[in-house]
Amino acid sequence: MVLLRPLVLLLALVVSDLHCLPWFINVSESQGPGTILQSFSFNCSSHTPTLELLHVQPPTTFFNPPSLTRWQGIYVGKMTLSSSARLDALTVNHYELQLRFTCGNHVMEGPLSVDVQRDPGRIQCAGRFASPAGEIIQVPETVTPGTRLYTLLLPGQGAQMSITSAQDPPYFPGPFSINGQGWLQAPSQGLKGQAQKVFQLQILVTFGQGRSCCGMLTVKVLPAPSSQVSFLQQAQNITIPENLVPGSKVVQVQARGFNVRYEILSPVPCRLFSIGRVDGVVRTTSPLELAQAPDAAVTRLRVKAFERLRPWASAELDFRVDVQSVNRWPPRCTPALLVTQIPETTPVGTVLNTFTCTDPDSPGSTLDYQLLFHSPAGTASLCLQDRVLEVNATLDCDTPGACFHHAASILVLDSGQPLMTTEVPVLVMVTPVNEFSPACVPRTFRVREDAGPHALLGSVVGKDMDYPHDSIEYSTPGGSATFAVDRLSGEVRLLGPLDYELQKLHRLTVLLTDHSQDQDPTCHRSGSCTITIEVEDVNDHAPECEPPFQELTIHTHLGRSMEVTRVSCQVPQEPQRLAFSYSIVGGNSRSQFSLQGAVLVHNDLMLGPSWPEQPHTYELLIRVADAGPSTPHLSTTATVIVHLVPWRASTVATSTHRATVISMMTPLLVTDMEAFWQPEPWFVVVLTVTSALLLLALGWLLSRLLRGLAQVLQAPSKSTQALLLNSIQGTEGSVERFMEAPRMETPQAPSSVMSLHFDGRAQDPRTGRDYLFNTHTGARRWL
């Protein structure tokens, strides 16, 4: 791919207009030297421009200095890859190039960002094997057949390898082989008799879809050693303490031979020990803590000694290193600190935590656990069963001071020498639980029906077994218009009027809700009870008589008593009240009438000349009062008009005529309709504006009329004007001396010539009008 993307940004520099704009390009890692990365055009007509590469981040020599050529009056610049360019997206995937373009006195700098993209089709072999010289290995002729001689570093997964060079006798003892893991193995016949021979193997690595790479591997066969290398000491077991610091000496091995070197053959890699290549001293390379590395307790080492110039001349030594435990660390526990909270309703036997402790010095050893109480001392609420902390007794927060914070500690002891201990702090907080619902005892309150607002009827006393016991709020479900319950005290008060006649008994449900009795502030319990309120009757309705007014005509008989009428009264609001007292309080001037209960009786027992012979009218007032036990006693008055006609011998017996006037008050609805006019809002606005304009016009006209009238009244005669002009000409120089003279207008013309003499002229500063004035009299004449 010569150019990843074409020119997308044309920078036109016309000397007077320079702009710095960034460029961004993508390039594949498979691009080689000479690849054009970016080209751009410049317009510089008056000078010879230059294009420079200032610097590259990160620094590299993969980019050539930019070229700048002239073509048809336009300068074309190009950025290319240098001959040393080897792009690798895995190594560096972004380069920042800073370019500078100069055209006369105008300079522009801008960045060029180069992003290296990964090329999935590009796979390379790694290591010296893929270099032009190839890889060279040396093997003794005594190597075991099939032994791994070399391992190829594969660039990816799923690669297939094969040896493409000829492997035929007599040059080869047998074919070398390579497996899927990249292992080059010795021929199955071995390499005996092939000393000093060199075998060149061309190896091809294929990755599928035609992608492959190749390399050269040269195998040099060395002759068998002529002398033996042997260790001076035999196999032995070495015991060391685990507290040796890294670099401590474990043992030194020595071998007989010429220029002997040492190395560890097993285990490989060896992370705990190392051996000096020259002196053969075995040292520790990392801490030997058995707790962190239990496999460090026993290590079997195989050490090889060989001559430096003849590596095939070697000997091996096996020995064992035992690491002994040292009691240096106290037990370590999980958790190292226990802070927990449990509700007071936690049942006995509930597991709070299980402690896991280990001895870093001796993993798997038995540890001893003890529970120590701190506060409250000697409490039996907790217990420790082996490593398990449990609840041992019932927890209760419903009495003052019973809800504790239990502070304790777990003491853990190991079995080493010296004895090491660890103490795990424990804090168990018992939280309250709202277990019980509040309750109250039903009560009965009595109240007079004439009790006033906010009258106290009584109090509801709630009880709650949870602590604190007085955390109760009172309310009435749905609300009540007649009664109210205080939210905190439970006092029941009267809100509205009572009426015994309408309702004698009220039942009020009071809801009790507790609070602040649980760890969760939103957890509430509620209860209720019914309060009975009995209304005591109060006599608050006067009796009413039907009819309240009667008019009767009776004919009396001498010496006889007769019933006139019966007064019928009742209390409509209390129809059950029937006990009334009756008395005549007015109109019974001759005591001819009496009451027998509710019956009005006329007593005609009078004899002699005082007996009336003419009809007579009596207007009786009868007071009717309730006579029950209720207080106060209320009364009403009924009016009875009796027309009394005396008996005569010639009078024909007639029946009593009773005229009853029933006063019935019938409501009369009077509808009074008043007509008015309500104009629209726009009409009101138009009317207001028109009125204002009319008033302004009238004012202006009136001011014009007044001004004209004043001018007519102030105009002097022609002779007087001539005299005034002569006087003005003689006194023009003295005008300014009398500017501050008092202003005074003369309403009437003077009677003499001297009085008409004005010796000064001035201009009114307020109106701007000129006027004449007399310096002696102060008279003024407007012009």
Side-chain angles (χ1 to χ4, degrees), residues 349-424:
T350 300
V351 176
L352 301 182
N353 202 291
T354 300
F355 295 90
T356 303
C357 300
T358 58
D359 188 356
D361 301 315
S362 179
S365 61
T366 302
L367 302 176
D368 184 29
Y369 299 84
Q370 299 178 8
L371 177 61
L372 305 178
F373 289 100
H374 301 306
S375 65
T379 180
S381 300
L382 306 176
C383 66
L384 187 66
Q385 300 288 344
D386 192 11
R387 299 180 296 112
V388 180
L389 183 63
E390 300 178 351
V391 177
N392 190 45
T394 302
L395 306 174
D396 188 9
C397 290
D398 296 329
T399 57
C403 208
F404 294 111
H405 288 181
H406 300 275
S409 61
I410 307 295
L411 186 64
V412 184
L413 304 92
D414 63 9
S415 56
Q417 294 296 330
L419 185 66
M420 305 293 288
T421 63
T422 296
E423 188 170 348
V424 180

Side-chain angles (χ1 to χ4, degrees), residues 29 46-47 57 68 81 106 134 145 193 195 199 214 246 305 350 370 401 407 410 417 425 471 480 586 590 596 603 648:
E29 65 178 354
S46 323
H47 304 83
Q57 289 294 337
L68 189 63
L81 293 178
H106 298 274
F199 303 97
C214 61
T350 300
Q370 299 178 8
I410 307 295
Q417 294 296 330
S471 299
S480 174
R590 297 185 180 182
Q596 297 179 3
N603 298 314
R648 291 184 179 89

Side-chain angles (χ1 to χ4, degrees), residues 241-495:
E242 66 172 343
N243 58 353
L244 286 180
V245 298
S248 299
K249 179 179 178 180
V250 178
V251 68
Q252 184 177 14
V253 295
Q254 293 180 340
R256 183 183 300 109
F258 178 75
N259 202 1
V260 178
R261 299 291 184 265
Y262 303 91
E263 65 179 4
I264 297 178
L265 294 181
S266 176
V268 176
C270 185
R271 61 181 183 85
L272 298 178
F273 304 98
S274 64
I275 189 171
R277 189 171 179 81
V278 177
D279 57 8
V281 176
V282 178
R283 300 180 183 274
T284 60
T285 57
S286 63
L288 302 177
E289 299 290 345
L290 296 179
Q292 285 78 19
D295 56 343
V298 177
T299 303
R300 299 183 181 276
L301 294 178
R302 174 174 293 180
V303 178
K304 175 183 177 182
F306 60 94
E307 293 182 356
R308 185 176 67 87
L309 298 179
R310 298 187 305 164
W312 57 88
S314 62
E316 297 178 358
L317 176 65
D318 294 330
F319 60 94
R320 190 178 75 178
V321 179
D322 297 329
V323 180
Q324 186 178 14
S325 174
V326 177
N327 196 20
R328 296 177 298 117
W329 305 102
R332 297 179 181 177
C333 298
T334 302
L337 170 68
L338 176 61
V339 178
T340 185
Q341 63 180 19
I342 56 176
E344 61 172 325
T345 54
T346 302
V348 177
T350 300
V351 176
L352 301 182
N353 202 291
T354 300
F355 295 90
T356 303
C357 300
T358 58
D359 188 356
D361 301 315
S362 179
S365 61
T366 302
L367 302 176
D368 184 29
Y369 299 84
Q370 299 178 8
L371 177 61
L372 305 178
F373 289 100
H374 301 306
S375 65
T379 180
S381 300
L382 306 176
C383 66
L384 187 66
Q385 300 288 344
D386 192 11
R387 299 180 296 112
V388 180
L389 183 63
E390 300 178 351
V391 177
N392 190 45
T394 302
L395 306 174
D396 188 9
C397 290
D398 296 329
T399 57
C403 208
F404 294 111
H405 288 181
H406 300 275
S409 61
I410 307 295
L411 186 64
V412 184
L413 304 92
D414 63 9
S415 56
Q417 294 296 330
L419 185 66
M420 305 293 288
T421 63
T422 296
E423 188 170 348
V424 180
V426 175
L427 178 62
V428 179
M429 296 175 288
V430 183
T431 59
V433 176
N434 193 0
E435 303 176 76
F436 307 99
S437 299
C440 60
V441 178
R443 298 191 61 184
T444 300
F445 300 136
R446 296 179 179 273
V447 58
R448 290 170 54 89
E449 67 173 331
D450 60 349
H454 308 293
L456 178 62
L457 307 184
S459 298
V460 180
V461 180
K463 298 294 183 181
D464 195 339
M465 297 178 61
D466 292 307
Y467 184 82
H469 304 299
D470 56 350
S471 299
I472 300 176
E473 292 184 357
Y474 303 87
S475 61
T476 54
S480 174
T482 307
F483 304 97
V485 179
D486 188 88
R487 184 174 64 91
L488 299 179
S489 63
E491 294 180 348
V492 181
R493 293 186 178 271
L494 181 64
L495 291 181

Side-chain angles (χ1 to χ4, degrees), residues 712-725:
V712 172
L713 294 177
Q714 295 176 0
S717 62
K718 293 183 179 180
S719 59
T720 306
Q721 292 178 0
L723 180 60
L724 289 175
L725 291 175

